[in-house]
Amino acid sequence: MINKSFGLRDRVVGLARKFAINRIALPHFMAFFRYSSVKRLRNLIQVEIDIRLGRIKPSGKPFIMFLEVNNICNLKCPFCLTGKGTVTDRPKRNMTFEEMKGYIDPISDYLYFIQLYNWGEPLLNKDLARFINYANKRRIFTMLSSNMNFSRPGVATEIVTSGLDYFIAAIDGFSPETYSKYRRGGNFNKVKKNLLDVLAAREKQGNGRPFIEWQFVVFRHNENEIEAAESFARENGVDFFHPIPGYIEDPTWITTRPEFKAQLGRPDSVKKCTRPWTHINIRSDGGAASCCYEYLKEDDYGNYKESLFDEIWYNDQYVVARDILSKGLDKGMKKPVTICHRCLASGIRPSFETLHKVESDQKRL
């Protein structure tokens, strides 16, 4: 039986989505209550007004940042573009601390939340603790997700003492055999020990931070281990055990448990996307991404190392993206063609290689 202790959380989040910005989640609530200010709250309300009025040149600023601290990984996960080694002209690199400051500073007064990962394993960036500490001093909520295969000494303590608010341990299985089927190159015993080390370091620190989530992507081969993993998590002090659907291309991997099946190919599921108003997404090389699913450099909306924030926030790509999300593909602007056009046409994440720039989607435009 899956733990229902977060049932109230889910009901509250669901209610909030009816009256506020969609795609809201537990960390977003935590960020709002922990780091709100008059200026941030005023901006959040302005963003909501911009969305409801369909403003393609909004008055509000993004209040959520996805900051890709690197695009390098130590695993070879078969449904991840980084893990598969998908070729792109984007360099493999770690973001520097000075770059990170340059991205945050122009809008730090409006930011509630920074996600410090995307297409890489963030703990491979040795400046990560400095990133977190810098954001923390500016009272911005920080969230980190790791595959937990770290070997560098002292990482568990570093995570806990950095000021991090929310930590996701991405562990998809509860045995060496099931875990390594997807997390290729990973070691389940190491992962389990690292999780216990993080929990122990938090206990020693004594302030209950960071909040720790175990994220368990459900596949057909690990679906029978969900309850055992949850029991272990609960017994050892994990705050939230979170089984989620495997959003994958290969149907043979998809779970047989209906409560964890993802529905693919539903354009209506992305019609209410608000990210071009609410989010700023910055790749490891400064690329301005439309959302966290964007991978190829050719789909960037600009580069924050080369342009000022406002120059990108109001450029043609963002204006068109907001227009089609407000009006729909039929009534919205046709040019320039963006990754948002393709996502809205197919209802499938842009990171699915087989659907990237497919001819049938282009014809619909």
Side-chain angles (χ1 to χ4, degrees):
M1 179 67 65
I2 298 301
N3 190 341
K4 302 298 183 182
S5 61
F6 277 75
L8 179 60
R9 172 200 71 93
D10 292 334
R11 287 194 292 274
V12 172
V13 170
L15 184 64
R17 284 174 173 162
K18 293 181 179 179
F19 298 101
I21 294 169
N22 69 337
R23 298 177 184 271
I24 203 165
L26 175 61
H28 301 147
F29 266 117
M30 294 173 69
F32 177 81
F33 287 112
R34 186 171 290 173
Y35 296 121
S36 201
S37 68
V38 172
K39 193 169 187 177
R40 285 176 179 152
L41 180 57
R42 186 184 296 124
N43 177 69
L44 187 149
I45 294 170
Q46 182 60 60
V47 170
E48 177 65 8
I49 292 171
D50 291 337
I51 293 169
R52 291 177 182 268
L53 296 179
R55 288 176 176 163
I56 58 178
K57 291 191 175 183
S59 300
K61 307 297 183 185
F63 54 85
I64 295 175
M65 175 180 280
F66 283 9
L67 195 66
E68 184 182 68
V69 300
N70 66 9
N71 59 344
I72 304 166
C73 193
N74 48 353
L75 301 187
K76 302 291 183 183
C77 302
F79 300 116
C80 170
L81 299 182
T82 301
K84 288 191 288 188
T86 300
V87 176
T88 174
D89 56 356
R90 196 186 304 279
K92 296 289 185 182
R93 68 188 300 272
N94 286 301
M95 185 180 291
T96 70
F97 180 62
E98 291 302 318
E99 289 170 345
M100 176 266 194
K101 290 198 300 180
Y103 301 143
I104 289 179
D105 286 347
I107 57 170
S108 61
D109 288 346
Y110 307 104
L111 289 175
Y112 274 99
F113 181 96
I114 298 179
Q115 173 180 303
L116 291 157
Y117 61 94
N118 196 2
W119 290 105
E121 167 51 47
L123 288 173
L124 294 177
N125 188 322
K126 294 182 180 180
D127 281 332
L128 183 62
R130 294 181 70 194
F131 288 12
I132 296 168
N133 184 257
Y134 188 81
N136 186 259
K137 287 180 178 178
R138 279 149 185 77
R139 296 188 53 76
I140 304 171
F141 189 96
T142 50
M143 184 171 77
L144 176 66
S145 177
S146 171
N147 64 40
M148 303 300 290
N149 280 275
F150 49 84
S151 301
R152 185 162 51 88
V155 169
T157 300
E158 188 177 285
I159 291 169
V160 169
T161 59
S162 64
L164 182 68
D165 292 288
Y166 200 104
F167 182 69
I168 299 174
I171 308 173
D172 315 316
F174 197 60
S175 67
E177 294 75 25
T178 56
Y179 173 80
S180 61
K181 184 174 176 63
Y182 181 68
R183 298 288 176 174
R184 294 178 183 175
N187 183 305
F188 177 71
N189 292 326
K190 176 191 285 187
V191 161
K192 187 162 68 169
K193 179 183 182 301
N194 285 341
L195 175 61
L196 293 174
D197 286 347
V198 172
L199 289 163
R202 184 181 67 170
E203 180 71 19
K204 182 178 179 180
Q205 181 170 257
N207 65 0
R209 295 172 64 182
F211 186 95
I212 297 175
E213 171 187 327
W214 178 336
Q215 186 180 93
F216 187 111
V217 180
V218 180
F219 301 108
R220 189 170 301 183
H221 64 270
N222 67 10
E223 61 185 16
N224 294 324
E225 294 184 340
I226 296 172
E227 286 74 17
E230 185 195 21
S231 178
F232 178 87
R234 185 171 58 249
E235 290 168 3
N236 286 279
V238 172
D239 297 298
F240 181 28
F241 180 78
H242 191 192
I244 63 174
Y247 200 97
I248 50 179
E249 296 151 285
D250 188 341
T252 65
W253 282 65
I254 296 175
T255 179
T256 62
R257 296 178 63 163
E259 68 268 36
F260 300 118
K261 282 188 176 181
Q263 293 183 309
L264 310 183
R266 291 177 51 232
D268 60 295
S269 68
V270 293
K271 282 182 179 179
K272 294 184 179 180
C273 177
T274 59
R275 294 190 180 195
W277 289 271
T278 60
H279 289 55
I280 175 174
N281 303 277
I282 305 178
R283 300 298 306 275
S284 60
D285 61 351
S290 54
C291 74
C292 60
Y293 300 126
E294 188 249 36
Y295 181 79
L296 299 177
K297 190 175 179 67
E298 64 192 69
D299 290 320
D300 285 355
Y301 285 9
N303 191 289
Y304 287 104
K305 290 174 70 173
E306 301 167 0
S307 304
L308 297 175
F309 166 78
D310 280 353
E311 292 173 343
I312 294 177
W313 194 241
Y314 299 110
N315 71 13
D316 290 346
Q317 288 93 332
Y318 268 108
V319 165
V320 169
R322 295 180 189 117
D323 191 60
I324 62 171
L325 286 167
S326 296
K327 300 176 182 176
L329 284 177
D330 294 339
K331 297 180 180 179
M333 299 177 184
K334 302 297 189 278
K335 300 290 183 178
V337 175
T338 69
I339 196 170
C340 293
H341 284 89
R342 298 194 299 276
C343 186
L344 196 56
S346 67
I348 299 180
R349 296 182 179 183
S351 53
F352 275 23
E353 282 187 297
T354 54
L355 295 165
H356 182 74
K357 290 188 175 178
V358 293
E359 183 177 354
S360 60
D361 285 352
Q362 289 299 306
K363 287 179 179 179
R364 294 181 64 178
L365 305 178

